């Protein structure tokens, strides 16, 4: 365990992940298809180094995961922002914008940041268009275990008959982000190529850490932890939504999030026009609240259709008192937040 780790991942952990994905996410795969990485962006790096060519075009949800957008922009691929609506990514618009894009990066279970679930019709359209264009779909399934209404939905990958979906998971939400452990399930025809690139990068995660997580899963703690956290976070989300409604009244549009451990809330337009969410979030951070402005999750944050609001976590708020106190602090940050944009 003190030697260089296997760059593809610690074999028992790869086996446990494959079994877990089959049982929990409807993803059938062999342990050989599972590569362990140091986080979602490390996964993207491995995938792109293995399968992308310079200047490849990539559909990216708009709004979409802020940190992946920044990372991808730096890797030399060309991002094609594709609008998102209540059914998830708009595949038809994507096709009109760029029918030949080589990749589509999506968050089907819980769209980041708006929280919608990709509808079945859109899932089929996305898979169909990927097949026609020989496009790879990168499925970012970062927080699907936390679903509060009904059971977690199967992954998009579970419908992937043509093996076009590259499935990405992470331990950041189900355990904690400091672990720096994530994984990717690679289509069979790409396993050899990804394996070669993983070996040339030699960026494997510490074996001791992977072995501890493998034991945690094997001994049943992981399943119990998920069950416990699902119940706890489900209660906390109700507390937080209630506290925000009380503090903001009609100034904030808040929907009870069906899943995840963070959500986006939207500011109602004030008499002076749209709320400057960047200014509100900056004031909130000064007051000790870790919120992000919603508008910066768009490719063009100043476009007319951009929603103004905040993206915030709710999993660490202990009780109704704390939720109320924080919501009132946040409300005070709104007072000077309207600008005639
Ligand atoms: C949309 C999305 N994808 C993936 C991740 C996981 O990233 P990482 O594995 O680097 O912690 C996160 C974490 O916040 C996320 O919000």
């Amino acid at each position: 365990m003190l030697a260089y780790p296997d760059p593809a991942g610690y074999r028992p952990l790869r086996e446990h992940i494959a079994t877990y994905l089959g049982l929990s996410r409807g993803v059938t795969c062999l342990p050989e298809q599972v590569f362990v990485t140091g986080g979602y962006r490390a996964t993207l790096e491995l995938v792109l180094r293995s399968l992308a060519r310079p200047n490849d075009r990539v559909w990216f949800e708009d709004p979409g995961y802020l940190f992946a957008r920044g990372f991808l922009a730096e890797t030399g691929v060309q991002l094609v922002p594709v609008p998102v609506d209540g059914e998830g990514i708009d595949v038809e618009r994507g096709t009109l914008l760029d029918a030949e894009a080589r990749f589509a990066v999506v968050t089907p279970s819980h769209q980041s940041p708006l929280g919608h679930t990709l509808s079945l019709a859109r899932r089929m359209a996305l898979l169909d268009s990927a097949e026609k264009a020989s496009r790879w779909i990168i499925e970012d399934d970062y927080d699907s275990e936390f679903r509060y209404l009904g059971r977690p939905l199967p992954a998009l990958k579970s419908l992937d008959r043509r093996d076009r979906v590259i499935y990405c998971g992470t331990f950041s939400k189900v355990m904690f982000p400091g672990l720096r452990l994530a994984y990717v399930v690679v289509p069979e025809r790409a396993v050899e190529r990804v394996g070669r690139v993983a070996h040339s990068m030699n960026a494997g995660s510490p074996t001791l850490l992977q072995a501890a997580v493998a034991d945690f899963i094997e001994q049943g703690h992981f399943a119990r932890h998920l069950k416990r956290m699902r119940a706890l976070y489900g209660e906390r989300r109700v507390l937080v939504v209630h506290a925000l409604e009380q503090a903001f009244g009609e100034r904030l549009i808040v929907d009870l999030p069906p899943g995840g451990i963070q959500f986006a809330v939207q500011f109602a337009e004030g008499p002076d026009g749209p709320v400057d969410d960047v200014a509100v979030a900056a004031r909130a951070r000064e007051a000790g609240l870790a919120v992000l402005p919603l508008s910066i999750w768009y490719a063009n944050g100043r476009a007319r259709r951009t929603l103004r609001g905040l993206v915030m976590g709710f999993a660490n708020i202990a009780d109704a008192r704390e939720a109320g106190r924080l919501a009132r602090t946040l409300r005070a940050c709104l007072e000077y937040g309207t600008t005639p944009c």
Side-chain angles (χ1 to χ4, degrees):
M1 288 209 178
L2 302 183
Y4 279 113
D6 183 337
Y10 178 60
R11 175 75 196 193
L13 182 59
R14 297 171 80 192
E15 287 170 4
H16 286 311
I17 291 171
T19 309
Y20 155 74
L21 290 177
L23 291 172
S24 193
R25 309 295 304 120
V27 173
T28 310
C29 64
L30 298 168
E32 289 72 21
Q33 291 173 264
V34 178
F35 289 80
V36 178
T37 71
Y40 176 53
R41 279 167 267 178
T43 296
L44 289 176
E45 162 125 58
L46 177 63
V47 168
L48 294 181
R49 273 182 191 271
S50 305
L51 302 174
R53 296 180 291 248
N55 295 318
D56 268 353
R57 295 185 306 277
V58 178
W59 285 4
F60 196 76
E61 294 168 334
D62 193 30
Y65 181 36
L66 180 64
F67 301 110
R69 174 152 51 82
F71 174 78
L72 289 168
E74 279 172 12
T75 62
V77 295
Q78 305 294 317
L79 293 180
V80 180
V82 180
V84 164
D85 61 21
E87 287 189 70
I89 190 167
D90 186 338
V91 179
E92 220 170 287
R93 286 290 298 282
T95 308
L96 287 174
L97 288 165
D98 190 340
E100 307 291 318
R102 278 260 294 158
F103 293 88
V105 179
V106 288
T107 48
S109 298
H110 188 225
Q111 202 276 328
S112 173
L114 298 180
H116 308 302
T117 304
L118 189 65
S119 68
L120 184 59
R122 290 274 175 89
R123 284 173 193 240
M124 300 318 287
L126 188 62
L127 291 168
D128 199 43
S129 84
E131 168 67 9
K132 285 194 186 117
S134 300
R135 174 179 308 124
W136 294 110
I137 299 172
I138 298 181
E139 175 176 21
D140 176 9
D141 199 37
Y142 62 109
D143 71 356
S144 55
E145 280 294 353
F146 298 119
R147 181 123 197 129
Y148 310 109
L149 310 167
R151 285 181 53 74
L153 301 168
L156 173 68
K157 177 73 187 163
S158 69
L159 299 172
D160 178 27
R161 303 280 164 262
R162 309 285 177 164
D163 228 7
R164 302 258 28 126
V165 177
I166 299 167
Y167 175 90
C168 309
T170 178
F171 285 101
S172 289
K173 306 272 184 192
V174 284
M175 290 186 67
F176 57 97
L179 255 186
R180 296 290 72 215
L181 282 181
Y183 49 87
V184 53
V185 178
V186 171
E188 273 188 80
R189 63 179 171 285
V191 165
E192 199 199 319
R193 172 102 191 101
V194 174
R196 241 183 302 132
V197 172
H199 275 82
S200 75
M201 286 168 69
N202 195 30
S205 302
T207 310
L208 270 174
L209 204 58
Q210 295 187 65
V213 173
D215 284 353
F216 192 73
I217 298 173
E218 188 178 343
Q219 292 166 14
H221 303 297
F222 182 61
R224 278 194 293 278
H225 171 72
L226 282 180
K227 196 168 166 216
R228 219 178 296 140
M229 291 304 116
R230 213 177 280 132
L232 183 67
Y233 297 160
E235 285 165 17
R236 288 179 172 179
R237 93 198 206 282
V238 177
L239 293 181
V240 171
V241 165
H242 183 66
L244 288 170
E245 282 170 351
Q246 293 265 304
F248 282 84
E250 294 187 345
R251 304 287 304 271
L252 200 66
I253 302 160
V254 191
D255 290 324
L256 198 60
I261 57 176
Q262 63 175 40
F263 69 145
V265 296
Q266 200 187 320
F267 289 124
E269 195 164 312
D272 304 325
V275 171
D276 182 350
D277 58 357
V278 174
V280 178
R283 272 198 295 278
R285 279 198 301 278
E286 269 173 40
L289 301 175
V291 296
L292 285 167
L294 179 56
S295 60
I296 65 170
W297 295 62
Y298 287 81
N300 174 5
R302 292 287 138 196
R304 270 196 62 215
R305 63 183 185 83
T306 302
L307 301 178
R308 308 294 169 91
L310 297 172
V311 179
M312 61 178 88
F314 55 80
N316 61 342
I317 295 174
D319 53 34
R321 243 175 91 141
E322 187 181 14
R325 183 174 57 76
L326 296 176
R328 286 190 295 278
T329 306
L330 192 58
R331 175 68 179 82
C333 300
L334 176 64
E335 285 313 334
Y336 309 100
T338 47
T339 54
C341 309

